[in-house]
Amino acid sequence: MTEPLLDIRNLSVTFRTEDGLVRAVDGVSATLQQGETLGIVGESGSGKSVTMMTVMRLITDPNATFEGEVYYKGVDLLALPQDQIRSIRGAGISMIFQDPMTSLNPVYKVGWQIAEQIREHEKISKQGARARAIELLTSVGIPNAAERVDNYPHEFSGGMRQRVMIAMAISCNPDVLIADEPTTALDVTIQAQILKLIRKLKSDYGTAVVLITHDMGVVADMADRIAVMYAGRIVEQGTQRELFYDPQHPYTWGLLGSIARLDRPRPRRLAAIPGQPPSLMRLPAGCAFAERCAYRFDACETQQPQLLDRLGTGHLDACLLSEQRKHAIRTRTVEPELVEETP
Amino acid sequence: MLAVLTFIVRRSLWTVVVMFVITVVVFFIFFKTPGVDPARALAGRDPSPQVLAEVRQQLGLNRPLWIQYGIMMKKIFITRNLVSYSDQGELIIPEIFAAAPITLSLVFGASVIWVVAAIVMGVAAARLRGTIYDPVLMILALIGLSTPVFWLGQVVILITQVKLHSSIFSWVQLGYTPLTQSPVKWFEGLIFPWITLSILYIGLYARVLRANLLEVQNEDYVRTARAKGLSERRVLLRHTLRTSMITFLSLFGLDFGALVGGGAILTEVVFGIHGVGFLTWESLTNLDLPTIMAVVIYGAFFIVLANALVDVAYAWIDPRVRPT
C-alpha cells in the first residue's frame, strides 16, 4: 500500500467550557488514499465535522486543545505554523460546507470570490483568474457562466450556490476535497445533482474526497470506505461493501435499520435507535453506546471497547460482542434483508 | 441603471413628503398650541401692543390657518425674511446659513476622527479578544461614552488655554476661522473641539463595531474565507470588516445628520463656536421662538437628508438591498 495522502493518527479534540471539558473527538485515526472517497457517518455531535475542521485547522476557539497528528503528504498539519497551513488550505486541501446560503460572502460577486482564492495561491493576473472562474463555473454546470460570474450570491438558488462553492473548492486543483454535509441543506432532487457533480469531478480530476454526512444513503452511493462515528470515536470502519453487507457494530445496524427501503413494503414507522447520545462531558467508563444498545452485557458497562480488526480482514469495529454472537443476532434481525440483496 | 435612477427619484420624493409633514407638525406646535397666543409667543419678552399688532399683521395671524402656514413657509423658504423679534429684528435665515458652515466644519472634522479611531479601536479589540487588551480597550470606550461633553470641554479648555497655554499649547487659538481664509488657523481653532466632540462617538462606535465584528466572525462565509487560505489580515479586512461596515455606516449617517442639524450644541457652547447649536442655545435663553422654529426645521431637514443619503449608501455597500 502506498503512503496515504491524509493520515489522521490518534486525533483528539477537547473544548474547555464553563461546565467542564468536552471531548468532541477522542482518539480518531483514519487514512485517505489518493483518489479515494472516505465517508464519515454519524449523528449530530458525533465529532465528524470537528475532526475534519481540525484537519483544516479551522477551529479558532482558543479553548480547544488538540492531541495527535494529521499527516498530509508526510507533513504534520497540526504542527505547521499559520502561514504554512494557509498555503495548503484551499490549494492542497479544500472544503465545502453544509449551508450554501450562508457560506458565500453576500457583498462580493461570486466570480470575485473564486478569483480571490486563485490569486491567493497562484501568480495570475486579474483577467486570468476571472477567466478561470468562468471556466470553473461552467464545469460545475452553471449555465451562462460568463454572465453569472458577475452575480452576487443572493441571485443564485441554494443548489447553484453549492455549485459555486464547489467551483471555488476545486479552483486550485486540490488533492483532497472535504465535503461537510454538502447536501443536507438542499432538497432531494438537488442533492442528487450535487452528489453526481462531486462524483464527476472526482473522476475528472482524481481528487480524493472526504464526505461527512449523517445519511447512510449518501455514503452508499459515493464512498469507497466508510467510518462510522459515535460520541467522538470511530466505532466501525471498513469498505463500503463490508459496512453495508457485513456490519459489525450495533450502532451501524441501527443506522442501517433506520433507512426507508423502496424494495420492501413500507413499514408503518421507521425504526429508530432509542435514547440519546451520551454527554461528551461525562462519557461512560465502558462503551459509549451501551446505554442505547439492545445487546449490551456486563462487560459493556466497564470495559471500553477498542477499535480492532476483529475479523482479520481490515474491517475494524469497536464492539465487545463475540463474532458468533453478532452473527447470531444479525441472522435473527438485520441479516435476512441484507442477504437477499447480496448478488 | 434605470432601476437605480427610479430608486433615487422615489427616495427624493419621499424625502420631500417627510419634510412637508415635519413643517406642518412644527407649525402646529408653535402656532396652535391650545391656550397660547402665537403672536405673544413669537414676539419675544414683554412685547408692546404695537409690536404684537405688527406680528399679527406680518404673519397673517387673523387669516385662515392654511394661509398662516403658507406665509410662514414663504418667509422661511422663499423670501427668507423671517425676523427675530427679540433680537432687534435680525433676519433669521441668513443667520442660520452663516452658522451652518461653522457647524459643518466642526462635525466633519470630529466625524473623521471618530470614524478612524473607532475602526482602529474596534478592530483591535476584536482581534485581541481573549487577551487583556480587549477589556482594557472596551473600558476606555465606555469611559469615553459616558464622559459628559460639557465637562470634558471645560477640562480641555483648562488644559490648553490656562494650565499649559504658555508651554505646549501656545499654538491653540480656539475660535472659528473659515477654511477658505486660512486652513491652518481653521485646523488649529477646531482640533480640540473636534476631539472633545468625537470622544463620545469613538466610545460608542468602537463598542458597536467590536460587537459586530465578533458576530460576523462566526458567520459561515468568514469560515469559508479562512478555508480558502486567505491571511488572517485579509479575512478580517476584506470579509469581516467589510460586512460590519453596513451597520457602522447606517449609524454614522444618522449621527452625522443629527449633529449637523444642531446636535453639537454642548460642544459649540462650551467652546464658543457660533454654529447652529450655539444659535439654538442663544435663542432658547432669549425665548426667541421664530429662531427656534427655523432651527428645528433646519435640523430636521439635515436628519431627513442624512437618512436619504444613508439609504443610497446602503445600496452601494450592500448588494442585497440594491434596486434591480
Side-chain angles (χ1 to χ4, degrees), chain B residues 94-111:
Chain B
E95 206 177 12
I96 292 179
F97 271 85
I102 303 177
T103 298
L104 209 57
S105 291
L106 173 70
V107 176
F108 176 76
S111 67

Side-chain angles (χ1 to χ4, degrees), chain A residues 4 7 11 26-27 61 67 69 96 104-105 118 132 162 176 216 226 239 243 249 252 269 277 288-289 292 298 319:
Chain A
D7 187 358
L11 180 71
D26 190 8
D61 189 335
E67 293 154 66
E69 295 106 48
I96 52 178
L104 290 162
N105 192 323
I118 301 172
R132 273 269 291 283
Q162 195 61 297
V176 182
M216 286 301 261
I226 297 170
T239 64
L243 255 285
H249 198 281
T252 318
R269 50 187 306 169
F289 186 63
R292 302 169 78 185
D298 293 344
C319 180

